[in-house]
Amino acid sequence: MGLIDVKNLTFDYIIRDENDQIESSVRALDDINLEVNAGDFIAVLGRNGSGKSTFAKMLNAILLPTFGDVLVIGMNTKDESRMLDIRKNVGMVFQNPDNQIVANVVEEDIAFGPENLGVPSDEMRRRVDEVSSTVGMKEYLLKSPNNLSGGQKQRVAIAGVLAMKPKCIVLDEPTAMLDPIGRRDIIETVSKLNREEGITIIMITHYMEEAAAAKRVVVIDKNKVRADGTPREVFADYKTLRECGLDVPQVTELAGLLKNAGLPLRDGIITIEELISELKTRKS
Amino acid sequence: MLRDITLGQYYPADSVLHRLDPRTKLFGTMIYIVSLFLCNSWIAYGAAVAALAILIILSKVPVGFMFRGLKAILVLLLISVFFNLFFTSGEVVFRIWFITVTKEGIRTAVWMAVRLICLVTGASIMTLTTTPNSLTDGLEKSLGFLKVIKVPVHEIAMMMSIALRFIPILVEETDKIMKAQMARGADFEEGGLVAKAKAMIPLLIPLFVSAFRRATELATAMEARCYHGGEGRTKLKPLKYQTIDRVAYVLIFAFLVLMIIIKIKVK
């Protein structure tokens, strides 16, 4: 059993008319099976409307499956009595940094989750100090979130989730509204959490370069899982990615083109550094 | 910068009043207002004004800030002075044409003016020395007893603090939408009242739509962080009475007793 088990997950968005009668329904997720192991760093890729955000919301009981089950450390998300336990263990960071910060002072926002869980004040103080230095926001604790940059706000949001001591963090396109610097910041923070704290990361994204930082890539398209494997394995299969409306990272594409042009490069190059070292070995 | 606007009228300083617990200040303000309505002699009004003066000095807030709040009640003040001055019967001081000014009239007019000024300034001292956040906290805690009669105190406090958080964001957004509409030829400046009001429609509709979208997202984010109402919630910084609060409570009661004694003894 993994940390999170997704079994035959199917979800329909149901549109009701004024009399609460079902008018129509749209299938958003179709028979998804996935096992997330503790310590994983998974990037979930998919184009707009592929169902990837819906998938993220299934993991901590914000949405419940129409058919199938989602089990978080053995707890079914349909079991309402375990809801807080599930949400405490699977934290969630959303796309818009402004719309997920609740309090007017950074430290109070970080404490919002633990406050809801009834953590005692002195323990809460310790946690706030600890997680704020983990994400590098310690000197901003007394500032108003309105004066922070997008990347900083997103780091506050991550700290707010960390303060609940989760086993897993789900990030739903956390960098979509950030500038390149903020984007790099967040990816570095998230990678560090995975590496040093052993927190399982599930990151929804449509940036290939971000997916390359993950240990495992899952591609969702037309409501189904289309590919699942290491970034190398997944990116090697251009054709499937193209069909799913995704591009491979630029450097992978370049390596592929060079190879087609007759340069004997190996498969599965996903970072610029790799291509450079590969080219150097060819040269010598 | 729009994002730097201060809400309420908090004036940051390091004074005894700033350090007091918000509950103490709320209670003190209430007692002060009650005592103002006990006043019916020059001595009583003198005591009220003196207390106010001491508080102003203690607060370290510039006097100019204190009296800003009075602008809002200037008209009310003038009307009350006008009616009290000219329409109180009693011992006539002087008479011009059909207007008579009586001794009682002058006295009531001055008393009313002092009472109104003290009322507004007294409340201003509280809002000037308390951040909106701690004011909300204080209200939630001291009105907690209303839960018995099913007043959703926690929910109201939560709504207030969320409103405070989102006002600057929405102000900024209004600015953005306005510029976007102006770039498309919208005109918010010219025309009469009706034309101006009509011009607000393309501004308000996108603003409302966006506010609702933000509200939905925020609600989801709050649920994801285990928010489930006020029950079982703890606080990062729970309100705690300090020694100065105890001293303040003693002084507040002493002031109330003094005012009652003045009312009984001085006629």
Side-chain angles (χ1 to χ4, degrees):
Chain A
M1 190 186 76
L3 185 68
I4 300 176
D5 282 318
V6 179
K7 288 181 190 157
N8 310 102
L9 167 64
T10 300
F11 182 72
D12 295 331
Y13 276 109
I14 292 167
I15 300 157
R16 290 174 191 275
D17 61 16
E18 297 106 71
N19 307 320
D20 221 28
Q21 299 299 307
I22 296 172
E23 206 172 78
S24 63
S25 73
V26 182
R27 183 139 296 188
L29 294 169
D30 192 6
D31 196 26
I32 289 188
N33 285 285
L34 201 72
E35 190 171 309
V36 179
N37 297 310
D40 253 353
F41 183 167
I42 302 181
V44 178
L45 283 169
R47 61 179 142 192
N48 290 341
S50 59
K52 60 188 195 301
S53 282
T54 309
F55 175 70
K57 291 197 177 92
M58 310 300 296
L59 299 176
N60 68 348
I62 289 175
L63 294 176
L64 297 176
T66 312
F67 306 108
D69 291 296
V70 177
L71 300 174
V72 176
I73 329 175
M75 298 177 279
N76 196 318
T77 55
K78 285 174 181 166
D79 181 356
E80 212 169 306
S81 64
R82 312 306 292 274
M83 194 171 69
L84 284 184
D85 234 0
I86 290 170
R87 290 185 177 161
K88 177 195 159 304
N89 279 300
V90 181
M92 195 147 176
V93 174
F94 296 86
Q95 186 183 64
N96 189 320
D98 274 324
N99 296 355
Q100 56 184 319
I101 292 180
V102 184
N104 296 292
V105 183
V106 169
E107 64 173 8
E108 279 175 25
D109 188 72
I110 295 176
F112 183 73
E115 280 181 343
N116 291 332
L117 294 167
V119 174
S121 301
D122 45 347
E123 160 74 5
M124 198 148 29
R125 183 77 254 169
R126 255 199 314 282
R127 286 194 194 180
V128 169
D129 290 341
E130 189 192 309
V131 299
S132 61
S133 62
T134 309
V135 300
M137 290 298 290
K138 187 133 200 196
E139 59 268 47
Y140 297 95
L141 275 183
L142 294 174
K143 293 257 159 49
S144 152
N146 291 331
N147 297 325
L148 303 180
S149 72
Q152 289 172 326
K153 279 183 216 169
Q154 240 12 359
R155 279 192 278 161
V156 170
I158 293 173
V161 168
L162 277 179
M164 296 192 291
K165 298 216 181 273
K167 295 233 164 34
C168 172
I169 301 181
V170 179
L171 300 102
D172 187 2
E173 301 199 43
T175 61
M177 298 181 73
L178 305 182
D179 57 15
I181 297 166
R183 200 174 293 162
R184 206 185 52 213
D185 257 14
I186 297 305
I187 299 306
E188 272 169 15
T189 309
V190 167
S191 307
K192 191 177 116 187
L193 289 176
N194 178 253
R195 211 171 45 234
E196 289 171 15
E197 317 266 323
I199 292 170
T200 310
I201 304 285
I202 301 173
M203 186 167 67
I204 317 289
T205 182
H206 57 242
Y207 290 110
M208 283 302 175
E209 278 73 14
E210 290 176 3
K215 291 179 190 161
R216 179 175 162 196
V217 174
V218 174
V219 178
I220 294 185
D221 193 51
K222 303 209 178 75
N223 321 321
K224 282 180 179 296
V225 174
R226 299 280 151 164
D228 183 355
T230 64
R232 247 173 256 291
E233 289 162 9
V234 172
F235 293 161
D237 186 6
Y238 290 44
K239 255 185 77 190
T240 314
L241 284 177
R242 284 270 151 76
E243 275 169 25
C244 296
L246 296 164
D247 284 320
V248 290
Q250 241 177 6
V251 55
T252 310
E253 194 176 4
L254 177 63
L257 289 171
L258 287 172
K259 199 175 162 192
N260 285 346
L263 208 63
L265 294 172
R266 68 181 168 90
D267 272 332
I269 288 172
I270 54 174
T271 67
I272 296 173
E273 288 76 26
E274 277 177 1
L275 181 59
I276 292 171
S277 73
E278 185 77 7
L279 285 173
K280 275 184 182 158
T281 52
R282 291 290 150 227
K283 208 175 150 196
S284 55
Chain B
M1 276 298 278
L2 275 172
R3 60 174 65 182
D4 284 331
I5 55 167
T6 45
L7 290 162
Q9 36 174 355
Y10 179 66
Y11 182 89
D14 182 29
S15 77
V16 189
L17 290 189
H18 284 80
R19 279 197 300 274
L20 278 180
D21 190 287
R23 285 170 293 174
T24 317
K25 285 186 264 192
L26 277 165
F27 182 74
T29 310
M30 204 182 74
I31 292 297
Y32 185 72
I33 289 169
V34 169
S35 72
L36 278 176
F37 287 94
L38 291 176
C39 290
N40 60 353
S41 65
W42 289 107
I43 299 174
Y45 279 104
V49 171
L52 194 68
I54 293 168
L55 288 176
I56 291 175
I57 294 163
L58 279 180
S59 73
K60 293 188 184 165
V61 177
V63 182
F65 274 90
M66 286 288 168
F67 296 115
R68 255 181 216 179
L70 291 180
K71 267 188 226 154
I73 59 149
L74 194 65
V75 178
L76 185 69
L77 197 65
L78 289 177
I79 292 174
S80 100
V81 167
F82 174 83
F83 278 100
N84 279 309
L85 197 57
F86 300 125
F87 296 96
T88 311
S89 54
E91 189 185 324
V92 178
V93 180
F94 60 86
R95 185 181 301 220
I96 310 165
W97 194 20
F98 67 93
I99 299 167
T100 49
V101 175
T102 61
K103 202 173 159 192
E104 284 76 12
I106 294 171
R107 199 182 61 187
T108 328
V110 173
W111 284 4
M112 279 308 282
V114 171
R115 183 181 285 176
L116 273 171
I117 291 168
C118 285
L119 198 88
V120 171
T121 317
S124 293
I125 291 177
M126 181 182 69
T127 52
L128 281 162
T129 59
T130 319
T131 59
N133 279 329
S134 53
L135 204 59
T136 315
D137 273 2
L139 278 172
E140 180 178 0
K141 204 80 187 266
S142 42
L143 297 182
F145 64 91
L146 289 177
K147 268 181 217 155
V148 184
I149 53 163
K150 301 249 155 72
V151 179
V153 180
H154 165 76
E155 282 75 9
I156 293 171
M158 183 54 94
M159 285 193 299
M160 268 170 72
S161 77
I162 289 174
L164 286 170
R165 151 114 185 84
F166 277 90
I167 286 168
I169 294 174
L170 290 179
V171 169
E172 213 170 333
E173 183 140 18
T174 313
D175 194 49
K176 246 187 230 166
I177 297 171
M178 218 160 159
K179 282 187 181 133
Q181 303 286 31
M182 270 149 77
R184 288 162 178 76
D187 186 356
F188 295 107
E189 308 291 329
E190 274 162 52
L193 204 61
V194 178
K196 266 189 186 164
K198 266 190 184 162
M200 292 312 260
I201 294 172
L203 178 66
L204 288 178
I205 289 173
L207 191 66
F208 265 87
V209 171
S210 138
F212 278 112
R213 192 182 307 123
R214 279 181 194 281
T216 318
E217 277 183 31
L218 184 73
T220 312
M222 283 169 71
E223 280 195 341
R225 285 165 77 185
C226 300
Y227 182 71
H228 56 283
E231 234 155 276
R233 265 192 118 226
T234 44
K235 285 259 172 196
L236 175 63
K237 289 192 232 157
L239 293 175
K240 254 195 212 124
Y241 283 126
Q242 309 292 328
T243 318
I244 50 167
D245 293 299
R246 292 188 196 105
V247 175
Y249 269 108
V250 171
L251 291 174
I252 291 165
F253 277 113
F255 178 71
L256 184 65
V257 171
L258 177 77
M259 294 305 272
I260 293 172
I261 292 172
I262 292 176
K263 182 170 170 75
I264 296 168
K265 293 278 172 199
V266 184
K267 288 288 167 197

